[in-house]
Amino acid sequence: MKNKVVTPDEKQINRRITKNTFAKGIFFLGTLFGIIVLAALLIRIFTQGIGYLDFDFLSNFASRRPEDAGIRAAILGTVWIMSITIPVSLILGVSTSIYLEEYAPKNKFTHFIELNLANLAGVPSVVFGLLGLTIFVRLLEMGRSILAGGLTMSLLILPVIVVASKEAIRSIPQEQYEAAYAMGATKWQIIRTVVLPAATPGILTGAILSLSRGVGETASLLMIGAMTFIAYIPASVLDGFTVLPIQIFSWASRPQTEFQAVAAAGSIVLLVILIVMNSLAIFIRNKYSKRY
């Protein structure tokens, strides 16, 4: 029998199949490595901290004794910070994205602003902490307060919300604008009744994911002087505060083995909060994407 002659096209196809198989294997190994590391981290945290996770841990304040240490002040401090960060960042972020997409002229200056917003989304959090320390703590004399921390956190996640909101607004089909204009709607009526409802899934998804990042931030709040030990509940936005990541960092930095387990229990609480927030983002996206 004669050997089958392989044509140049078949050789090229075989090379492509080989490259595709190789790339697929690399991607699979990368994904598998990430899953293994994550599983090992979760197993370590849960096995080390689950014994300290009870009602007393959630209701007690921080203590120098690991058996009496709790996370109440850190949870309430996180709630205080988010109560300022959420409205400030959402209002400013969505308003900025609407202006840039719907009202701002398409010129070099607008492009320059959009480019810098995209760059700010990747700036390290410690830079925003220095900015908050300079402006809010010292220049505006807010001190090391909840208000200064909330505004600093708003600066941190604001670029991400703006970028996500702009992409959500930009994804709306042009036909919806034309149909609204054909019915005699004004610019603001179109934004209120067409743009915002259709862009809600993307805006809220980006906002919740940004807030999830803010909940886990430490560096920016440490820069403005957030406390690592607090034994009282803040009564106003001008009081001192601590948050979950800083409290966990404080426990993890202590030499006693028991405090390492307490830090792991705090990490479990933080993980649960982040999972709930990310699940909420997925639920909102799926719910509203079916309508528009």
Side-chain angles (χ1 to χ4, degrees), residues 102-120:
E102 302 294 339
Y103 292 104
K106 304 302 179 182
N107 52 31
K108 292 183 178 180
F109 181 71
T110 303
H111 179 70
F112 175 76
I113 293 176
E114 293 176 345
L115 182 63
N116 279 274
L117 283 171
N119 291 333
L120 284 174

Side-chain angles (χ1 to χ4, degrees), residues 116-130:
N116 279 274
L117 283 171
N119 291 333
L120 284 174
V123 170
S125 59
V126 66
V127 177
F128 290 97
L130 290 171

Side-chain angles (χ1 to χ4, degrees), residues 57-239:
F57 178 74
L58 298 176
S59 59
N60 289 348
F61 291 104
S63 174
R64 293 180 175 86
R65 296 187 297 272
E67 62 273 9
D68 297 329
I71 207 166
R72 180 181 180 183
I75 292 177
L76 295 177
T78 301
V79 172
W80 270 103
I81 290 293
M82 288 296 107
S83 66
I84 296 174
T85 303
I86 291 173
V88 172
S89 58
L90 275 181
I91 292 173
L92 292 180
V94 176
S95 300
T96 302
S97 62
I98 290 175
Y99 174 77
L100 291 175
E101 285 297 318
E102 302 294 339
Y103 292 104
K106 304 302 179 182
N107 52 31
K108 292 183 178 180
F109 181 71
T110 303
H111 179 70
F112 175 76
I113 293 176
E114 293 176 345
L115 182 63
N116 279 274
L117 283 171
N119 291 333
L120 284 174
V123 170
S125 59
V126 66
V127 177
F128 290 97
L130 290 171
L131 182 62
L133 177 65
T134 303
I135 297 178
F136 302 127
V137 177
R138 294 178 178 173
L139 184 61
L140 300 180
E141 298 182 351
M142 294 181 182
R144 300 174 178 181
S145 62
I146 293 173
L147 182 59
L151 294 177
T152 302
M153 194 64 65
S154 299
L155 292 178
L156 173 65
I157 68 174
L158 186 60
V160 182
I161 294 179
V162 173
V163 172
S165 300
K166 283 174 76 282
E167 292 300 324
I169 294 173
R170 193 175 297 171
S171 65
I172 299 174
Q174 188 64 29
E175 291 79 5
Q176 295 191 21
Y177 287 90
E178 295 173 354
Y181 278 125
M183 297 181 66
T186 62
K187 186 74 171 180
W188 171 241
Q189 287 175 331
I190 294 174
I191 293 173
R192 182 171 54 87
T193 60
V194 176
V195 174
L196 287 179
T200 295
I203 292 174
L204 291 183
T205 300
I208 294 175
L209 294 178
S210 302
L211 292 170
S212 298
R213 177 194 175 187
V215 169
E217 277 296 336
T218 305
S220 57
L221 296 180
L222 283 175
M223 289 302 302
I224 67 169
M227 300 179 182
T228 58
F229 184 90
I230 229 178
Y232 61 87
I233 299 175
S236 71
V237 295
L238 298 178
D239 289 345

